[in-house]
Amino acid sequence: QVQLVESGGGLVQAGGSLRLSCAASGRTFSRNAMDWFRQAPGKEREFVAAISASGGSTKYADSVKGRFTISRDNAKNTVYLQMNSLIPEDTAVYYCAARSSVILSTVTFTYNYWGQGTQVTVSS
């Protein structure tokens, strides 16, 4: 059974840091670009960051650029999201997802797998 499992969420004060992990099992994801999304209460799910299969390319939403860093360890089949300088607006459930593509510039792709999400709450 293929699974993506997020962890590392929690409650943190504004200005603090958290590192989220997305561990894959059931198959290797070393040939999949991977994304992080988030969904705040009452809002639509939004893109946060993406990383190519090799880890050589990354992309960020403007709202997190300079504060968040996406990375991956293909040997561990795990993707990370380091979140620094957190603000209350970062409060959301964070999800990881696997693309059907290898590189980020591919226009046509699907999200084949999603995790169940991990809650991040930033207090002011």
Side-chain angles (χ1 to χ4, degrees):
Q1 183 180 0
V2 178
Q3 280 189 313
L4 296 177
V5 180
E6 301 95 336
S7 62
L11 174 64
V12 64
Q13 288 189 331
S17 298
L18 284 173
R19 188 175 84 153
L20 305 184
S21 298
C22 171
S25 62
R27 55 158 281 189
T28 180
F29 283 86
S30 61
R31 293 178 177 266
N32 296 85
M34 300 288 292
D35 290 37
W36 284 97
F37 284 80
R38 66 186 182 187
Q39 187 167 19
K43 295 188 177 181
E44 292 188 355
R45 189 172 298 189
E46 65 174 357
F47 168 79
V48 174
I51 188 166
S52 63
S54 68
S57 297
T58 57
K59 182 179 179 181
Y60 297 92
D62 288 343
S63 59
V64 307
K65 206 172 290 184
R67 299 188 298 122
F68 291 10
T69 302
I70 189 171
S71 62
R72 65 191 298 161
D73 184 339
N74 285 340
K76 295 183 178 179
N77 225 14
T78 301
V79 178
Y80 304 97
L81 186 67
Q82 178 66 44
M83 306 186 296
N84 299 329
S85 302
L86 285 161
I87 59 178
E89 290 74 16
D90 294 321
T91 295
V93 177
Y94 284 72
Y95 301 89
C96 64
R99 296 191 185 191
S100 58
S101 59
V102 174
I103 57 177
L104 299 185
S105 57
T106 300
V107 176
T108 304
F109 64 90
T110 58
Y111 289 104
N112 291 345
Y113 301 98
W114 288 86
Q116 84 292 343
T118 185
Q119 176 71 48
V120 171
T121 303
V122 184
S123 63
S124 57

